[in-house]
């Protein structure tokens, strides 16, 4: 009897798991361009400003006013290896940008480097990604942190509410010091930073011209904070939101409709299309379906079985190997929702860079977050929409 009861439970659970495959998930309503815009704008999915005054209104602050001089100083520090312990990496080593005022080779900007032998990065390492295109960041001494975390893009991050994979920081300025101090990143103390910059005549003079109190670690953070704020991108998506119906292709608009109707916009929202909330991932697990050919078997079945890591408690359940064992905020699989602007250029995906293909990432999100097995056409359309988010950094002439 016990065996039959257990089998009945397994069958019921199995039917529940099959529901996403049985229930149609096609969007029921065709939105017009105006309706798409209206829905997006109502979710705070507004365009990145192209006008300098709107940019200031969005990001300027009394605590750290944006000035041309501060931006120039922050830009110089961003690309300079002086902020790392062994002077081998800069902020731009992990958050790559096209423009390097020092005209030096950036870290991993050499395709002969052993870490460059990965799918998309081989050809697209020079894309405007704001990331390093690696599964996990490499810091001083060519070391990778044990938690094996992927580098989020710095582009548009100043507009996000949360930073870091666990959402533990809530401002672009607050994110500067941990990057410099972390022993697996730049590994340099505040005092060492100040000493180096004071011993550098060019920097000492520039700081004195920019800040009344000259070289301080606080002012280093302020300069880098202001520079980060200028790293905003505009794309076809922004032009569409501003009323240009021809800016996005018909396929991208269908993808946008899917994005809205299937529920993607619930988490990927705001001007950054993400980065505004901390959410559980995955919300749905498929690795608890038991192989009923052996009632008391511990074998798990299904092509999307998440890898269990029995060395980490609570055991992680992801649709990929959780290399690094990171479990998000409070070890509860709570993650800062990634920014989707320029997402086509920021592979590999997820917190440990486990997935290199964007279509596969979309499929995983549909199944594990929305409980839907997306069709190939739906995935193609959503990817077309994501491509409409590709943009270049806005050049505000007042800051050049």
């Amino acid at each position: 009897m016990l065996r039959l009861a257990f089998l009945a439970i397994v069958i019921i659970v199995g039917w529940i798991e099959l529901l996403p495959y049985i229930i149609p998930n096609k969007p029921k309503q065709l939105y017009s361009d105006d309706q798409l815009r209206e829905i997006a704008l109502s979710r705070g999915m507004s365009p990145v400003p192209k006008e300098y005054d709107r940019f200031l209104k969005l990001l300027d602050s009394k605590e750290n006013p944006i000035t041309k001089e501060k931006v120039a100083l922050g830009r110089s520090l961003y690309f300079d290896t002086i902020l790392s312990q062994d002077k081998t990496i800069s902020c731009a080593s992990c958050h790559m940008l096209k423009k390097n005022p020092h005209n030096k080779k950036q870290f991993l900007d050499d395709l002969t480097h052993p870490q460059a032998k990965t799918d998309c990065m081989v050809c697209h390492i020079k894309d405007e990604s704001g990331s390093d295109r690696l599964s996990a960041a490499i810091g001083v001494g060519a070391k990778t942190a044990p938690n094996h975390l992927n580098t989020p893009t710095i582009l548009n991050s100043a507009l996000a509410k949360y930073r870091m994979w666990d959402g533990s920081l809530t401002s672009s300025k607050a994110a500067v010091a941990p990057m410099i101090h972390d022993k697996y990143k730049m590994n340099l103390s505040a005092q060492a930073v100040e000493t180096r910059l004071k011993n550098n005549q060019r920097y000492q003079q520039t700081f004195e011209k920019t800040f009344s109190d000259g070289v301080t670690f606080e002012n280093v953070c302020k300069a880098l904070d202001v520079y980060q704020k200028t790293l905003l991108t505009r794309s076809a998506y922004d032009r569409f939101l501003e009323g240009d119906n021809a800016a996005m292709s018909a396929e991208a608009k269908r993808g946008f409709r899917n994005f809205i109707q299937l529920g993607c916009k619930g988490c990927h929202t705001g001007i950054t299309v993400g980065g505004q909330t901390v959410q559980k991932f995955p919300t749905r697990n498929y690795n608890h379906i038991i192989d009923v050919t052996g009632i008391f078997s511990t074998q798990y079945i299904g092509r999307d079985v998440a890898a269990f890591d029995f060395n980490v408690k609570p055991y992680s359940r992801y649709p990929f190997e959780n290399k690094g064992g990171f479990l998000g905020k409070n070890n509860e699989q709570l993650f800062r929702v990634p920014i989707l602007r320029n997402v086509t250029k920021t592979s590999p995906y997820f917190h440990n860079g486990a997935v290199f293909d964007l279509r596969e990432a979309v499929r995983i999100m549909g199944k594990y977050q929305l409980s839907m097995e997306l069709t190939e056409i739906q995935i193609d359309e959503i990817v077309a929409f994501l491509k409409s988010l590709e943009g270049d950094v806005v050049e505000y002439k007042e800051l050049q």
Side-chain angles (χ1 to χ4, degrees), residues 56-71:
L56 286 180
K57 186 176 181 180
L58 192 63
L59 283 172
D60 202 11
S61 70
K62 294 181 180 179
E63 296 76 21
N64 189 22
I66 297 173
T67 66
K68 183 177 180 179
E69 295 73 23
K70 212 178 288 184
V71 169

mmCIF file with all atom_site columns, all heavy atoms in Angstrom, residues 56-71:
data_model
loop_
_atom_site.group_PDB
_atom_site.id
_atom_site.type_symbol
_atom_site.label_atom_id
_atom_site.label_alt_id
_atom_site.label_comp_id
_atom_site.label_asym_id
_atom_site.label_entity_id
_atom_site.label_seq_id
_atom_site.pdbx_PDB_ins_code
_atom_site.Cartn_x
_atom_site.Cartn_y
_atom_site.Cartn_z
_atom_site.occupancy
_atom_site.B_iso_or_equiv
_atom_site.pdbx_formal_charge
_atom_site.auth_seq_id
_atom_site.auth_comp_id
_atom_site.auth_asym_id
_atom_site.auth_atom_id
_atom_site.pdbx_PDB_model_num
ATOM 1   N N   . LEU A 1 56 ? 21.617 64.968 -16.439 1.00 0.00 ? 56 LEU A N   1
ATOM 2   C CA  . LEU A 1 56 ? 21.910 65.527 -15.116 1.00 0.00 ? 56 LEU A CA  1
ATOM 3   C C   . LEU A 1 56 ? 20.738 65.329 -14.157 1.00 0.00 ? 56 LEU A C   1
ATOM 4   O O   . LEU A 1 56 ? 20.922 64.973 -12.986 1.00 0.00 ? 56 LEU A O   1
ATOM 5   C CB  . LEU A 1 56 ? 22.247 67.007 -15.230 1.00 0.00 ? 56 LEU A CB  1
ATOM 6   C CG  . LEU A 1 56 ? 23.614 67.388 -15.804 1.00 0.00 ? 56 LEU A CG  1
ATOM 7   C CD1 . LEU A 1 56 ? 23.769 68.902 -15.845 1.00 0.00 ? 56 LEU A CD1 1
ATOM 8   C CD2 . LEU A 1 56 ? 24.747 66.759 -14.994 1.00 0.00 ? 56 LEU A CD2 1
ATOM 9   N N   . LYS A 1 57 ? 19.540 65.562 -14.662 1.00 0.00 ? 57 LYS A N   1
ATOM 10  C CA  . LYS A 1 57 ? 18.357 65.410 -13.823 1.00 0.00 ? 57 LYS A CA  1
ATOM 11  C C   . LYS A 1 57 ? 18.217 63.977 -13.323 1.00 0.00 ? 57 LYS A C   1
ATOM 12  O O   . LYS A 1 57 ? 17.763 63.727 -12.202 1.00 0.00 ? 57 LYS A O   1
ATOM 13  C CB  . LYS A 1 57 ? 17.107 65.812 -14.618 1.00 0.00 ? 57 LYS A CB  1
ATOM 14  C CG  . LYS A 1 57 ? 15.828 65.823 -13.793 1.00 0.00 ? 57 LYS A CG  1
ATOM 15  C CD  . LYS A 1 57 ? 14.656 66.332 -14.620 1.00 0.00 ? 57 LYS A CD  1
ATOM 16  C CE  . LYS A 1 57 ? 13.372 66.377 -13.785 1.00 0.00 ? 57 LYS A CE  1
ATOM 17  N NZ  . LYS A 1 57 ? 12.210 66.863 -14.583 1.00 0.00 ? 57 LYS A NZ  1
ATOM 18  N N   . LEU A 1 58 ? 18.672 63.041 -14.144 1.00 0.00 ? 58 LEU A N   1
ATOM 19  C CA  . LEU A 1 58 ? 18.540 61.627 -13.815 1.00 0.00 ? 58 LEU A CA  1
ATOM 20  C C   . LEU A 1 58 ? 19.597 61.154 -12.827 1.00 0.00 ? 58 LEU A C   1
ATOM 21  O O   . LEU A 1 58 ? 19.312 60.351 -11.928 1.00 0.00 ? 58 LEU A O   1
ATOM 22  C CB  . LEU A 1 58 ? 18.627 60.811 -15.107 1.00 0.00 ? 58 LEU A CB  1
ATOM 23  C CG  . LEU A 1 58 ? 18.240 59.336 -15.065 1.00 0.00 ? 58 LEU A CG  1
ATOM 24  C CD1 . LEU A 1 58 ? 16.771 59.175 -14.692 1.00 0.00 ? 58 LEU A CD1 1
ATOM 25  C CD2 . LEU A 1 58 ? 18.518 58.681 -16.415 1.00 0.00 ? 58 LEU A CD2 1
ATOM 26  N N   . LEU A 1 59 ? 20.841 61.654 -12.951 1.00 0.00 ? 59 LEU A N   1
ATOM 27  C CA  . LEU A 1 59 ? 21.942 61.065 -12.200 1.00 0.00 ? 59 LEU A CA  1
ATOM 28  C C   . LEU A 1 59 ? 22.768 62.021 -11.337 1.00 0.00 ? 59 LEU A C   1
ATOM 29  O O   . LEU A 1 59 ? 23.581 61.567 -10.526 1.00 0.00 ? 59 LEU A O   1
ATOM 30  C CB  . LEU A 1 59 ? 22.898 60.347 -13.171 1.00 0.00 ? 59 LEU A CB  1
ATOM 31  C CG  . LEU A 1 59 ? 22.412 58.984 -13.692 1.00 0.00 ? 59 LEU A CG  1
ATOM 32  C CD1 . LEU A 1 59 ? 23.337 58.472 -14.788 1.00 0.00 ? 59 LEU A CD1 1
ATOM 33  C CD2 . LEU A 1 59 ? 22.327 57.968 -12.569 1.00 0.00 ? 59 LEU A CD2 1
ATOM 34  N N   . ASP A 1 60 ? 22.607 63.313 -11.505 1.00 0.00 ? 60 ASP A N   1
ATOM 35  C CA  . ASP A 1 60 ? 23.427 64.229 -10.702 1.00 0.00 ? 60 ASP A CA  1
ATOM 36  C C   . ASP A 1 60 ? 22.995 64.203 -9.242  1.00 0.00 ? 60 ASP A C   1
ATOM 37  O O   . ASP A 1 60 ? 21.847 63.877 -8.924  1.00 0.00 ? 60 ASP A O   1
ATOM 38  C CB  . ASP A 1 60 ? 23.300 65.651 -11.256 1.00 0.00 ? 60 ASP A CB  1
ATOM 39  C CG  . ASP A 1 60 ? 24.480 66.527 -10.866 1.00 0.00 ? 60 ASP A CG  1
ATOM 40  O OD1 . ASP A 1 60 ? 25.479 65.977 -10.355 1.00 0.00 ? 60 ASP A OD1 1
ATOM 41  O OD2 . ASP A 1 60 ? 24.416 67.747 -11.082 1.00 0.00 ? 60 ASP A OD2 1
ATOM 42  N N   . SER A 1 61 ? 23.924 64.516 -8.339  1.00 0.00 ? 61 SER A N   1
ATOM 43  C CA  . SER A 1 61 ? 23.604 64.525 -6.913  1.00 0.00 ? 61 SER A CA  1
ATOM 44  C C   . SER A 1 61 ? 24.344 65.649 -6.210  1.00 0.00 ? 61 SER A C   1
ATOM 45  O O   . SER A 1 61 ? 25.429 66.057 -6.631  1.00 0.00 ? 61 SER A O   1
ATOM 46  C CB  . SER A 1 61 ? 23.978 63.184 -6.267  1.00 0.00 ? 61 SER A CB  1
ATOM 47  O OG  . SER A 1 61 ? 25.383 63.041 -6.197  1.00 0.00 ? 61 SER A OG  1
ATOM 48  N N   . LYS A 1 62 ? 23.772 66.142 -5.123  1.00 0.00 ? 62 LYS A N   1
ATOM 49  C CA  . LYS A 1 62 ? 24.410 67.198 -4.332  1.00 0.00 ? 62 LYS A CA  1
ATOM 50  C C   . LYS A 1 62 ? 25.652 66.670 -3.623  1.00 0.00 ? 62 LYS A C   1
ATOM 51  O O   . LYS A 1 62 ? 26.611 67.405 -3.408  1.00 0.00 ? 62 LYS A O   1
ATOM 52  C CB  . LYS A 1 62 ? 23.412 67.753 -3.306  1.00 0.00 ? 62 LYS A CB  1
ATOM 53  C CG  . LYS A 1 62 ? 22.224 68.485 -3.913  1.00 0.00 ? 62 LYS A CG  1
ATOM 54  C CD  . LYS A 1 62 ? 21.298 69.009 -2.825  1.00 0.00 ? 62 LYS A CD  1
ATOM 55  C CE  . LYS A 1 62 ? 20.111 69.740 -3.427  1.00 0.00 ? 62 LYS A CE  1
ATOM 56  N NZ  . LYS A 1 62 ? 19.175 70.238 -2.381  1.00 0.00 ? 62 LYS A NZ  1
ATOM 57  N N   . GLU A 1 63 ? 25.611 65.385 -3.250  1.00 0.00 ? 63 GLU A N   1
ATOM 58  C CA  . GLU A 1 63 ? 26.731 64.784 -2.520  1.00 0.00 ? 63 GLU A CA  1
ATOM 59  C C   . GLU A 1 63 ? 27.966 64.640 -3.409  1.00 0.00 ? 63 GLU A C   1
ATOM 60  O O   . GLU A 1 63 ? 29.098 64.721 -2.929  1.00 0.00 ? 63 GLU A O   1
ATOM 61  C CB  . GLU A 1 63 ? 26.337 63.414 -1.976  1.00 0.00 ? 63 GLU A CB  1
ATOM 62  C CG  . GLU A 1 63 ? 25.218 63.433 -0.938  1.00 0.00 ? 63 GLU A CG  1
ATOM 63  C CD  . GLU A 1 63 ? 23.837 63.654 -1.554  1.00 0.00 ? 63 GLU A CD  1
ATOM 64  O OE1 . GLU A 1 63 ? 23.689 63.389 -2.767  1.00 0.00 ? 63 GLU A OE1 1
ATOM 65  O OE2 . GLU A 1 63 ? 22.938 64.109 -0.824  1.00 0.00 ? 63 GLU A OE2 1
ATOM 66  N N   . ASN A 1 64 ? 27.752 64.445 -4.703  1.00 0.00 ? 64 ASN A N   1
ATOM 67  C CA  . ASN A 1 64 ? 28.866 64.248 -5.630  1.00 0.00 ? 64 ASN A CA  1
ATOM 68  C C   . ASN A 1 64 ? 28.479 64.803 -7.004  1.00 0.00 ? 64 ASN A C   1
ATOM 69  O O   . ASN A 1 64 ? 28.180 64.042 -7.936  1.00 0.00 ? 64 ASN A O   1
ATOM 70  C CB  . ASN A 1 64 ? 29.226 62.758 -5.724  1.00 0.00 ? 64 ASN A CB  1
ATOM 71  C CG  . ASN A 1 64 ? 30.513 62.524 -6.493  1.00 0.00 ? 64 ASN A CG  1
ATOM 72  O OD1 . ASN A 1 64 ? 31.355 63.399 -6.616  1.00 0.00 ? 64 ASN A OD1 1
ATOM 73  N ND2 . ASN A 1 64 ? 30.668 61.306 -7.007  1.00 0.00 ? 64 ASN A ND2 1
ATOM 74  N N   . PRO A 1 65 ? 28.498 66.130 -7.148  1.00 0.00 ? 65 PRO A N   1
ATOM 75  C CA  . PRO A 1 65 ? 28.073 66.757 -8.398  1.00 0.00 ? 65 PRO A CA  1
ATOM 76  C C   . PRO A 1 65 ? 28.908 66.297 -9.597  1.00 0.00 ? 65 PRO A C   1
ATOM 77  O O   . PRO A 1 65 ? 30.118 66.087 -9.481  1.00 0.00 ? 65 PRO A O   1
ATOM 78  C CB  . PRO A 1 65 ? 28.288 68.254 -8.129  1.00 0.00 ? 65 PRO A CB  1
ATOM 79  C CG  . PRO A 1 65 ? 28.291 68.378 -6.646  1.00 0.00 ? 65 PRO A CG  1
ATOM 80  C CD  . PRO A 1 65 ? 28.908 67.114 -6.136  1.00 0.00 ? 65 PRO A CD  1
ATOM 81  N N   . ILE A 1 66 ? 28.254 66.144 -10.726 1.00 0.00 ? 66 ILE A N   1
ATOM 82  C CA  . ILE A 1 66 ? 28.938 65.745 -11.958 1.00 0.00 ? 66 ILE A CA  1
ATOM 83  C C   . ILE A 1 66 ? 29.589 66.967 -12.595 1.00 0.00 ? 66 ILE A C   1
ATOM 84  O O   . ILE A 1 66 ? 28.928 67.971 -12.846 1.00 0.00 ? 66 ILE A O   1
ATOM 85  C CB  . ILE A 1 66 ? 27.952 65.105 -12.948 1.00 0.00 ? 66 ILE A CB  1
ATOM 86  C CG1 . ILE A 1 66 ? 27.378 63.822 -12.353 1.00 0.00 ? 66 ILE A CG1 1
ATOM 87  C CG2 . ILE A 1 66 ? 28.630 64.821 -14.296 1.00 0.00 ? 66 ILE A CG2 1
ATOM 88  C CD1 . ILE A 1 66 ? 26.267 63.198 -13.177 1.00 0.00 ? 66 ILE A CD1 1
ATOM 89  N N   . THR A 1 67 ? 30.897 66.899 -12.828 1.00 0.00 ? 67 THR A N   1
ATOM 90  C CA  . THR A 1 67 ? 31.618 67.974 -13.506 1.00 0.00 ? 67 THR A CA  1
ATOM 91  C C   . THR A 1 67 ? 32.506 67.371 -14.586 1.00 0.00 ? 67 THR A C   1
ATOM 92  O O   . THR A 1 67 ? 32.878 66.190 -14.520 1.00 0.00 ? 67 THR A O   1
ATOM 93  C CB  . THR A 1 67 ? 32.503 68.779 -12.535 1.00 0.00 ? 67 THR A CB  1
ATOM 94  O OG1 . THR A 1 67 ? 33.558 67.920 -12.046 1.00 0.00 ? 67 THR A OG1 1
ATOM 95  C CG2 . THR A 1 67 ? 31.697 69.315 -11.367 1.00 0.00 ? 67 THR A CG2 1
ATOM 96  N N   . LYS A 1 68 ? 32.851 68.173 -15.563 1.00 0.00 ? 68 LYS A N   1
ATOM 97  C CA  . LYS A 1 68 ? 33.715 67.721 -16.653 1.00 0.00 ? 68 LYS A CA  1
ATOM 98  C C   . LYS A 1 68 ? 35.066 67.273 -16.116 1.00 0.00 ? 68 LYS A C   1
ATOM 99  O O   . LYS A 1 68 ? 35.629 66.256 -16.560 1.00 0.00 ? 68 LYS A O   1
ATOM 100 C CB  . LYS A 1 68 ? 33.889 68.846 -17.664 1.00 0.00 ? 68 LYS A CB  1
ATOM 101 C CG  . LYS A 1 68 ? 34.714 68.491 -18.876 1.00 0.00 ? 68 LYS A CG  1
ATOM 102 C CD  . LYS A 1 68 ? 34.758 69.655 -19.859 1.00 0.00 ? 68 LYS A CD  1
ATOM 103 C CE  . LYS A 1 68 ? 35.585 69.306 -21.092 1.00 0.00 ? 68 LYS A CE  1
ATOM 104 N NZ  . LYS A 1 68 ? 35.613 70.438 -22.072 1.00 0.00 ? 68 LYS A NZ  1
ATOM 105 N N   . GLU A 1 69 ? 35.605 68.008 -15.142 1.00 0.00 ? 69 GLU A N   1
ATOM 106 C CA  . GLU A 1 69 ? 36.915 67.690 -14.568 1.00 0.00 ? 69 GLU A CA  1
ATOM 107 C C   . GLU A 1 69 ? 36.878 66.365 -13.800 1.00 0.00 ? 69 GLU A C   1
ATOM 108 O O   . GLU A 1 69 ? 37.809 65.554 -13.868 1.00 0.00 ? 69 GLU A O   1
ATOM 109 C CB  . GLU A 1 69 ? 37.368 68.812 -13.633 1.00 0.00 ? 69 GLU A CB  1
ATOM 110 C CG  . GLU A 1 69 ? 37.629 70.147 -14.316 1.00 0.00 ? 69 GLU A CG  1
ATOM 111 C CD  . GLU A 1 69 ? 36.367 70.860 -14.761 1.00 0.00 ? 69 GLU A CD  1
ATOM 112 O OE1 . GLU A 1 69 ? 35.289 70.568 -14.182 1.00 0.00 ? 69 GLU A OE1 1
ATOM 113 O OE2 . GLU A 1 69 ? 36.445 71.685 -15.706 1.00 0.00 ? 69 GLU A OE2 1
ATOM 114 N N   . LYS A 1 70 ? 35.804 66.147 -13.086 1.00 0.00 ? 70 LYS A N   1
ATOM 115 C CA  . LYS A 1 70 ? 35.677 64.918 -12.305 1.00 0.00 ? 70 LYS A CA  1
ATOM 116 C C   . LYS A 1 70 ? 35.538 63.700 -13.226 1.00 0.00 ? 70 LYS A C   1
ATOM 117 O O   . LYS A 1 70 ? 36.098 62.633 -12.957 1.00 0.00 ? 70 LYS A O   1
ATOM 118 C CB  . LYS A 1 70 ? 34.472 65.029 -11.371 1.00 0.00 ? 70 LYS A CB  1
ATOM 119 C CG  . LYS A 1 70 ? 34.636 64.286 -10.054 1.00 0.00 ? 70 LYS A CG  1
ATOM 120 C CD  . LYS A 1 70 ? 33.419 64.476 -9.163  1.00 0.00 ? 70 LYS A CD  1
ATOM 121 C CE  . LYS A 1 70 ? 33.341 65.880 -8.597  1.00 0.00 ? 70 LYS A CE  1
ATOM 122 N NZ  . LYS A 1 70 ? 32.212 66.032 -7.650  1.00 0.00 ? 70 LYS A NZ  1
ATOM 123 N N   . VAL A 1 71 ? 34.795 63.891 -14.316 1.00 0.00 ? 71 VAL A N   1
ATOM 124 C CA  . VAL A 1 71 ? 34.638 62.808 -15.288 1.00 0.00 ? 71 VAL A CA  1
ATOM 125 C C   . VAL A 1 71 ? 35.989 62.449 -15.903 1.00 0.00 ? 71 VAL A C   1
ATOM 126 O O   . VAL A 1 71 ? 36.333 61.268 -16.039 1.00 0.00 ? 71 VAL A O   1
ATOM 127 C CB  . VAL A 1 71 ? 33.640 63.206 -16.398 1.00 0.00 ? 71 VAL A CB  1
ATOM 128 C CG1 . VAL A 1 71 ? 33.676 62.188 -17.539 1.00 0.00 ? 71 VAL A CG1 1
ATOM 129 C CG2 . VAL A 1 71 ? 32.230 63.314 -15.830 1.00 0.00 ? 71 VAL A CG2 1
#
